[in-house]
Amino acid sequence: MGQVLVTGAAGFIGAHVCQALLARGEQVIGLDNFNSYYDPALKEARLAALTGNNRPGAFTMHRLDLASTDDLLALFAANPGIDRVAHLGAQAGVRWSLEAPFAYTSTNVTGHLGILEGVRRSEGRIGHTVYASTSSVYGSRTDGAFRETDRTDTPASLYAATKKAGEVMSSTYADLYNLRLTGLRFFTVYGPWGRPDMAYWLFTDAILKGRPIRLFNEGRMQRDFTYIDDIVAGILAALDNPPVQGGHRVYNIGNSQPEPLLDMVSILEDLIGMPARRELLPMQPGDVPSTFADISAIQGDFGWEPTTDLKTGLGHFVRWWKAYFG
């Protein structure tokens, strides 16, 4: 068995994927730049949880920026045992892309291209690369389930545009260089160790501290909330089942049950035992009113099914949040 390179290994999804790979006996090489988009202390805590409970030598971490192309390619060259890549590192967040656009092109375009080049230069040693895309590529839609065959050429944010660029580059590289690549369009991932910029985290924090929660579009939003354990199971299923040589596939990976945002607020109020103070605001630029994953492709190819309902998943998150913050 070779090694798996996981980018974004100190991030929310990346850390969970590293833990799952280590639990099944894999050798994992992690990469993360520990940037300050949100408090790096949370990333350090995820890393400590990873390194504190695993066999010696099974996991190594490299503090490296994806956009530092020379350093990234040197990492590939210095680790010829890498035979699979889970490329989960990215600059996330729709709203911040309005304020810091070059951070998104640097990581999500230049950094993604660096991963593709590293895989190409491995001369066939790397048998499969799975990378993170996003449901945001579908743009502003309210007309039912999003299917992989739908048009995705009108994204509503720069973040979405950079992730779509990653899909297009991946398709090109698979064809040009005979690579095996799989993209996963994540739908609103949530759970323990999550990202502090996400609504469920912000709402939990605000309710517990007596601050108002900010409801954009006056709360008239729907999201296909997908629990982290289900996402990890889908990533591993994809990683273990590469396409044909020279193949590039894209899958939705979501709960396929969009929930009104206000229902999530009500569940959090019940779990926390406190009412939320609600501040109704207009729609934010770049945001979308609804997301809804058609998951028939990933179900059919891998037998993957989400198993965690929103109340159960939020219950896990609230218990983790209280334990983490005391």
Side-chain angles (χ1 to χ4, degrees):
M1 185 178 292
Q3 298 169 313
V4 185
L5 172 65
V6 179
T7 70
F12 171 36
I13 299 175
H16 281 274
V17 168
C18 287
Q19 189 62 65
L21 289 167
L22 290 164
R24 70 181 198 178
E26 300 269 14
Q27 296 284 321
V28 177
I29 297 174
L31 181 159
D32 204 291
N33 68 353
F34 292 83
N35 72 10
S36 57
Y37 170 62
Y38 58 81
D39 188 357
L42 178 61
K43 301 174 187 181
E44 298 287 356
R46 294 187 190 120
L47 175 61
L50 270 178
T51 56
N53 298 301
N54 286 295
R55 56 200 190 283
F59 177 78
T60 56
M61 172 62 86
H62 295 265
R63 294 171 184 258
L64 178 67
D65 195 319
L66 284 168
S68 300
T69 307
D70 290 344
D71 293 336
L72 180 60
L73 294 176
L75 175 64
F76 275 98
N79 293 275
I82 296 171
D83 62 5
R84 286 152 295 153
V85 176
H87 175 35
L88 307 172
Q91 180 54 63
V94 167
R95 291 168 190 155
W96 201 55
S97 69
L98 302 174
E99 302 174 32
F102 292 107
Y104 288 76
T105 55
S106 175
T107 300
N108 299 353
V109 179
T110 301
H112 189 90
L113 180 58
I115 291 294
L116 293 175
E117 270 296 298
V119 173
R120 178 183 76 84
R121 297 182 190 194
S122 75
E123 299 180 341
R125 293 192 308 273
I126 297 176
H128 190 200
T129 298
V130 173
Y131 67 90
S133 188
T134 173
S135 62
S136 295
V137 300
Y138 290 106
S140 187
R141 296 256 314 270
T142 57
D143 56 349
F146 302 176
R147 297 175 176 84
E148 293 89 345
T149 53
D150 293 345
R151 291 183 62 175
T152 54
D153 55 358
T154 55
S157 66
L158 178 67
Y159 163 65
T162 61
K163 298 301 278 183
K164 177 61 179 178
E167 291 186 5
V168 175
M169 288 190 291
S170 297
S171 178
T172 301
Y173 261 66
D175 186 54
L176 279 176
Y177 303 116
N178 210 29
L179 307 181
R180 301 174 193 241
L181 301 168
T182 300
L184 298 175
R185 292 173 177 167
F186 297 144
F187 281 71
T188 315
V189 188
Y190 74 100
W193 293 104
R195 281 190 3 233
D197 63 324
M198 298 293 284
Y200 66 94
W201 180 300
L202 294 169
F203 292 172
T204 298
D205 186 51
I207 293 170
L208 284 166
K209 295 178 180 177
R211 297 195 313 267
I213 63 172
R214 305 173 74 199
L215 293 167
F216 295 104
N217 200 33
E218 299 183 342
R220 297 191 301 270
M221 313 271 267
Q222 284 190 317
R223 289 292 181 268
D224 202 344
F225 297 106
T226 316
Y227 189 63
I228 182 61
D229 289 0
D230 292 329
I231 288 287
V232 171
I235 293 170
L236 296 191
L239 191 65
D240 293 344
N241 292 278
V244 296
Q245 202 74 37
H248 173 246
R249 308 171 303 187
V250 175
Y251 294 100
N252 290 336
I253 178 168
N255 204 47
S256 197
Q257 293 189 21
E259 304 269 2
L261 187 66
L262 294 177
D263 286 0
M264 184 188 77
V265 174
S266 296
I267 291 170
L268 286 173
E269 289 175 321
D270 289 344
L271 289 168
I272 294 168
M274 297 172 62
R277 295 168 50 203
R278 306 179 187 210
E279 181 181 356
L280 303 182
L281 298 168
M283 187 70 133
Q284 282 277 94
D287 215 340
V288 298
S290 178
T291 62
F292 182 3
D294 180 313
I295 57 172
S296 55
I298 195 170
Q299 286 174 317
D301 286 358
F302 307 141
W304 177 83
E305 294 274 0
T307 61
T308 310
D309 65 85
L310 183 60
K311 184 175 182 179
T312 299
L314 286 174
H316 294 325
F317 169 74
V318 170
R319 284 189 291 276
W320 170 84
W321 200 97
K322 291 180 176 180
Y324 182 76
F325 289 103

